[in-house]
Amino acid sequence: MRYSLLDLSPISEGHDAAEAIAASVALAQTAEAEGYQRFWLAEHHNMPGIASAATSVLIGHVAQQTKTIRVGSGGIMLPNHSPLVIAEQFGTLATMFPNRIDLGLGRAPGTDMETARALRRNLQAPDTFPQDVVELMAYFGDPEPGQRLHAIPGEGTKVPLWILGSSLYGAQLAAHLGLPYAFASHFAPDALEQATEVYRRTFRPSEFLAEPHFMLAVNVFGADTVDEAKFIRTSAQLAMINLRSGRPGKLPRPVERIEDHADAGMIRMTDMGGRIRAVGDKPQVQAQLSSLIDRHQPDEVILAGHIHDPAARRRSFEIAAAALRDLGFEAASAA
């Protein structure tokens, strides 16, 4: 099994977007050295604490600053875009960085409804996500006789597509199309078991994939001490509490006692939403990851972790990578 990394290029309190982007590049370089298979960035809009809104642009920047690690989206929110535009963007990336680009696709807008309207897509239109995915697949394939629309660059690049989701909808679509499936268990784990079962049971082999490939998303907060790991995790807790309270902002600084900064009920709700996690020093992170892997039997894991300090964030992913290698995961080859 391989392990990958999901980054939202968080903008931390006291810092700006330029620093966040530089930190993401440094994290991608660390991930490459630590044997991560993929470095994915996620599309979100109108979020003061996230610098990855122009996802394809940032993917190109990260790919330029690394050598071998696959770089992609986790994901592009396809309802915000025309399939042809995404085919041209990712076809260009695949032309510039051959065999290194992934395209993970989500169905949610990745923002609020007012911002979704500002993105200029027709919110009154019926759900065309399945048709849009099929259209996108065709643009990346070899041209058909008489075909009039072409993605240039893009045509013939066969950029690997993934379906992302947190419900049965994405699981069923990925299975129907014979595509790999990544479940957003790092923030919405309620349907994890059911979606995994549906995806594997109904999977139809395709030209892209002979067998189902399921990716489990796990939050990781690793540090050299247990107390330090718990401390750095409070940034992610506070960020989610702020978001759910209608107060999105930059990634908060960590605090010694989160109980002094948030309502107990909100803390419990946030902890439930983020329960697919590993927190602690390396032995604890390894034990918790082992338990999650034994329970859910993923074909790949992708790790996330909103951590305020970039150095602590890199250290957390170093600890997680070492733990996964000890569990038998295979490191990707670095240059």
Side-chain angles (χ1 to χ4, degrees), residues 66 106 119 167 183 207 213 224 235 308:
T66 51
L119 290 166
S167 69
F183 192 88
E207 62 178 298
H213 188 94
D224 293 318
S235 292
H308 182 273

Side-chain angles (χ1 to χ4, degrees), residues 8-9 21 41-47 50-62 72-73 75-76 80-81 86 89-90 93 119:
L8 274 64
S9 197
I21 291 169
L41 293 147
E43 176 188 350
H44 291 277
H45 300 280
N46 196 29
M47 301 286 283
I50 295 176
S52 56
T55 317
S56 58
V57 176
L58 194 50
I59 287 170
H61 181 58
V62 170
S73 62
I76 288 291
N80 296 337
H81 312 277
I86 296 303
Q89 290 178 0
F90 278 77
L93 288 167
L119 290 166

Side-chain angles (χ1 to χ4, degrees), residues 108 164-171 181-185 187-192 195:
L164 281 56
S166 59
S167 69
L168 300 187
Y169 185 104
Y181 178 56
F183 192 88
S185 39
F187 72 90
D190 289 350
L192 172 58

Side-chain angles (χ1 to χ4, degrees), residues 12-253:
S12 298
E13 286 183 350
H15 300 276
D16 59 21
E19 291 171 299
I21 291 169
S24 286
V25 169
L27 179 61
Q29 292 168 339
T30 296
E32 184 170 77
E34 290 293 330
Y36 284 84
Q37 173 79 354
R38 314 173 200 280
F39 185 88
W40 281 4
L41 293 147
E43 176 188 350
H44 291 277
H45 300 280
N46 196 29
M47 301 286 283
I50 295 176
S52 56
T55 317
S56 58
V57 176
L58 194 50
I59 287 170
H61 181 58
V62 170
Q64 183 69 51
Q65 307 275 341
T66 51
K67 296 178 181 178
T68 58
I69 193 169
R70 298 191 66 87
V71 188
S73 62
I76 288 291
M77 301 297 107
L78 196 52
N80 296 337
H81 312 277
S82 77
L84 179 58
V85 167
I86 296 303
E88 291 171 339
Q89 290 178 0
F90 278 77
T92 300
L93 288 167
T95 302
M96 295 167 63
F97 308 103
N99 301 314
R100 289 187 58 204
I101 301 300
D102 295 328
L103 176 51
L105 299 168
R107 177 170 163 251
T111 187
D112 58 87
M113 287 300 102
E114 183 178 358
T115 307
R117 284 190 289 271
L119 290 166
R120 302 293 193 272
R121 293 288 276 164
N122 182 5
L123 301 183
Q124 306 305 316
D127 181 9
T128 59
F129 183 67
Q131 297 94 318
D132 288 349
V133 173
V134 171
E135 182 181 344
L136 194 50
M137 292 163 65
Y139 286 133
F140 289 132
D142 296 322
E144 298 288 339
Q147 181 176 330
R148 297 177 61 85
L149 281 176
H150 303 266
I152 302 171
E155 191 169 80
T157 56
K158 297 179 172 62
V159 174
L161 267 60
W162 290 68
I163 299 297
L164 281 56
S166 59
S167 69
L168 300 187
Y169 185 104
Q172 292 167 332
L173 180 62
H176 178 76
L177 297 177
L179 294 175
Y181 178 56
F183 192 88
S185 39
H186 60 305
F187 72 90
D190 289 350
L192 172 58
E193 289 84 356
Q194 190 177 6
T196 305
E197 189 277 329
V198 166
Y199 171 65
R200 286 175 167 152
R201 175 170 49 82
T202 63
F203 180 84
R204 305 196 312 185
S206 69
E207 62 178 298
F208 312 104
L209 202 60
E211 297 178 345
H213 188 94
F214 163 65
M215 179 188 279
L216 176 72
V218 183
N219 286 305
V220 174
F221 303 92
D224 293 318
T225 69
V226 174
D227 287 344
E228 175 68 12
K230 292 178 180 178
F231 174 70
I232 62 174
R233 180 178 167 242
T234 59
S235 292
Q237 292 173 286
L238 289 170
M240 184 56 69
I241 288 169
N242 290 342
L243 180 62
R244 295 194 175 190
S245 301
R247 305 188 309 270
K250 291 186 175 183
L251 182 63
R253 292 179 174 85

